[in-house]
Amino acid sequence: MTRRVLGVLVGFLITATFLTPTAAQAAEWVPKTPPLATPWTSQVSPTNALPEYPRPQLQRPEWQNLNGVWEFAGAPNLNSPPIGRPLAEGVLVPYPIESALSGIKRHEDNMFYRRTFTVPSGWNGRQVKLNFGAVTWETRVWVNGRQVGTHTGGFDAFSFDITSALNGGTNEIVVGVHSPIDGSRYPIGKQRRNPSGIFYTAASGIWQTVWLEPVRAANITRLDTTPNVPASALDLVVQGTAGQAVTAEVLSGGQVVGRQTGTTGTSLRVPVPNARLWSPDDPFLYDLRVTLGSGDAVTGYFGMRSLGKAMVGGVMRPLLNGKFVFQSGTLDQGYWPDGIYTAPTDEALRFDLERQKALGFNMVRKHIKVEPARWFYHADRLGLMVWQDMPSVDSIDEVPNSHANYESELRRMIDQLKGITSIVQWVPFNEGWGEYDAGRIVNLIRSIDNTRLINHNSGSNCCVSDPDPGNGDVIDDHHYQISANTRLPDANRVAMLGEFGGLGRRVVGHEYQPGAGFAYGALYPDEVSLTKRYEEVIKQVQRLIHTRGLSAMVYTEPYDVENEVNGFYTYDRRVLKMTEARVRAVNLGVLAVARGTAVSPDDVVSLRVTTSGYTDRYLRHQSSLARTDVINTDLGRLDATFNLRPGLADAACFSFESRNFPGQFLRHSNGRVRLDVNNGSIAGDATFCAREGSGGTALESFNVRGSFVRHYNEGVYLARSGGPNPWDSAGSFAADTTWAVGTGLWRSGADLPLDQARSFRVTTPGFTDRYLRHRESLARTDVVTSTSDALTKADATFVVRRGLAEPTCYSFESRNIPGQFLRHADFRVRLGTNDNTDLFRRDATFCAQQGTGGVRLESINELGTNIRHYAEEVWVASNGGAHTYDNPASYNQDVSWAVSSPWAP
């Protein structure tokens, strides 16, 4: 926050008036007990219910907060407002009526709120506006018995001019609200009258701040701010009374740095010289002061940044300030056990975002909800990019009578939020829920705001999604365990992983409904196992960045929500369920891989050319010399695959060992990159350090600093830009020295004999007389010796085949039951008949890697797992996962198998 913004906020807090009901109002607020109390629940009272000025982008120095205790009653309809009639219950505004903090804690389809107020004498001569942050869904308002306005929509702010209805003393407000929730007529997001599973408790009635403010007859209603980085300016449209003269000033540190004049409703270009650009690493905000000729004046803020998309390293990528920045975020649903849709305090609202930033994320997907303006202010200030979802209607399939309401609220959401710096993407649909005319909706959004990417349907690969219209900017997959590859980007759209993860852990004493918590997969028993699994899943994301062109990830989720227990934090925000330092480290590792300052975590890697027009070529060795080729043969794939090793001269850097010539490394010699045997003298020449490239990794020589591995006319050289050699030419130097380091074209790091029978012996000390075998279809280990019967020997023999799902890995066919292969199902390894489905092929494919005294057989679709023997049974197991067979004790030995001559040739 700049000092100027802080000063304005402090000034507003000083001049604000917080009202509580007069003695004549008999209703009392009686808080109910929430299912879980947050650290802020006890801080809420009638005198401090969200006292902060609610609209940081359009601030006025005088205002009156109407949050506090109102009278309340349910009603059969809204036709008979209780004008002049006290209501029996007390409700604490602005907490939704289903919440414990409201004091009501039940749902009503129809309801009335009532309170009184007086207008400060200093407001005389000006108009008075009554403002609502948000109310679900239909709102009718009466002041002193006179209806002053109506509104429909649950997520947008609205105002009424109540000047003509005021009297000189005590004034009465009655607010009627209709909120049927499950009517399928309007957007409600995940609210349900009868919550269960992934749908949650409703949030009806007033759920954001209500306040009064005095304005001039000619006044400002909205500031539409669009940073224009190329022009070093802010493009500003001041919405309000037509034809008014406008003066707009941009301030930094309290000093005016740019000024422009114009009129309301027209575009002003306000200079911002030498602009300091907003980013997650430097979330700098400018202050804005706008004054009308009438004297109406407001302050606000904005960040200077540019958004877009472009080919970077041969891949369509999202851009921030002209550079590819990987978007790493969480699926933030905005629910609270005490306030449901409404955070108990502003500190709580800020906490969620601060903790996500602390965990190493740079983005938040605001999932099927629109937050109050102060949430976006905190995101802007903290430097968290935001994907903004449109709340869905209460339907999985399209409900035609909802279309008009949906589109009206979509327009208003974008109009109100398009000045938010942190928002980088609009998401109108999720997994096809209520999806219709997606191509037209994309065009509608673009007509309102063409500055951001549009994700037509997050999770368009699943569920009830309609056919892809193709005119959005994003290809968005939901893969919770990432058991299959994400789709590739295309020439016009970026590839994003819109939801994944969902790893769960119950924490006793912090459950919404004890024992009922669920996750999107296994539940993990403790912090260590959950953190380890998270690290494995995130490593797969790292692999996808350059192997599949992935540009963003959204992890489910930052905190538990009701009975979903897949958060980093429990629902009450009291317990962090993973180890913060390890989560942060692996998350920052994702950003480093995307920048190029780190590389894929794979055992074996390949290096793809990123220069435009040559992105189908890979670095390979041929006759010992390094070159680039289009790869389409097994030999080419092997030549283009390298074991990634710690640098021979510096373990903080890397060396690349030939996959098919072990002991030989890429090194430079007389400017040329080639393979050579590590004879102890090549360490410096064979060590390269990862540097940020142009959409990938630049490999700087360890011992010739300033020189990089470059492809030039199919050859590969050590080059220095502007140096004396032909391969030092400056043209396309940055692209030619940038490599997309991804999963090896040859996935296995160890070789097995194709189409030959082999047996697999346990290597764990004390059990080395046991072999992998099948019995009654299940895999297990048994002692097998030369005296064993023929059936046992045959059961312990498998024919090594090319991987059914990946030809550079392996599948294992039963020697005595041809056509049946080892596969895993529910983690147990067993025999199964190849039904030629994609699932079977993947379950039956394992990549061979170097193990501890043997070969490790790694599953390609159950992340981080290997074939392991445990208590005689055989599983695909992770090291320290959720199950008993994931026990870390002797894990490395248990997953290593000695490949031996077959018991049954």
Side-chain angles (χ1 to χ4, degrees), residues 260-283:
Q260 187 58 274
T261 59
T263 57
T264 49
T266 62
S267 183
L268 288 71
R269 181 157 290 178
V270 189
V272 187
N274 303 311
R276 181 173 168 183
L277 300 186
W278 181 96
S279 72
D281 293 331
D282 183 21

Side-chain angles (χ1 to χ4, degrees), residues 767-784:
F767 300 92
T768 55
D769 56 350
R770 304 180 72 89
Y771 286 79
L772 173 67
R773 58 121 8 136
H774 64 84
R775 190 171 76 186
E776 297 174 352
S777 84
L778 293 176
R780 55 177 287 116
T781 63
D782 277 329
V783 174
V784 184

Side-chain angles (χ1 to χ4, degrees), residues 546 589 592-600 607 644-645 647 650-656 687-694 696-702 705 707-709 737-739 741:
H546 294 300
V593 168
R595 282 196 307 271
T597 54
V599 298
S600 165
L607 289 77
L644 188 66
R645 305 297 191 198
D650 183 347
C653 298
F654 303 100
S655 292
F656 299 90
T687 300
F688 303 93
C689 302
R691 307 296 185 221
E692 182 172 351
S694 180
T697 298
L699 295 169
E700 184 182 26
S701 169
F702 172 78
R705 295 303 169 97
S707 294
F708 297 83
V709 176
T737 55
T738 298
W739 304 87
V741 183

Side-chain angles (χ1 to χ4, degrees), residues 637-682:
R637 280 186 277 272
L638 280 164
D639 287 349
T641 300
F642 299 89
N643 295 309
L644 188 66
R645 305 297 191 198
L648 297 177
D650 183 347
C653 298
F654 303 100
S655 292
F656 299 90
E657 182 185 23
S658 170
R659 167 65 180 79
N660 52 347
F661 290 94
Q664 296 196 31
F665 289 78
L666 287 179
R667 57 86 57 97
H668 64 84
S669 176
N670 296 322
R672 191 71 193 265
V673 177
R674 58 187 305 124
L675 271 190
D676 264 335
V677 175
N678 178 21
N679 58 10
S681 66
I682 68 167

Side-chain angles (χ1 to χ4, degrees), residues 324-382:
F324 166 45
V325 176
F326 190 90
Q327 298 178 14
S328 169
T330 66
L331 192 77
D332 189 325
Q333 306 202 64
Y335 276 79
W336 299 84
D338 46 11
I340 307 178
Y341 252 25
T342 307
T345 68
D346 191 66
E347 179 188 354
L349 192 71
R350 187 178 71 245
F351 171 89
D352 275 0
L353 294 175
E354 289 176 336
R355 296 314 305 154
Q356 290 175 67
K357 190 71 184 283
L359 288 171
F361 294 103
N362 66 8
M363 179 266 285
V364 176
R365 179 181 171 196
K366 179 44 62 177
H367 190 42
I368 318 187
K369 181 195 177 189
V370 182
E371 290 285 2
R374 290 193 61 82
W375 185 91
F376 293 99
Y377 168 65
H378 294 314
D380 289 342
R381 182 181 58 83
L382 291 167

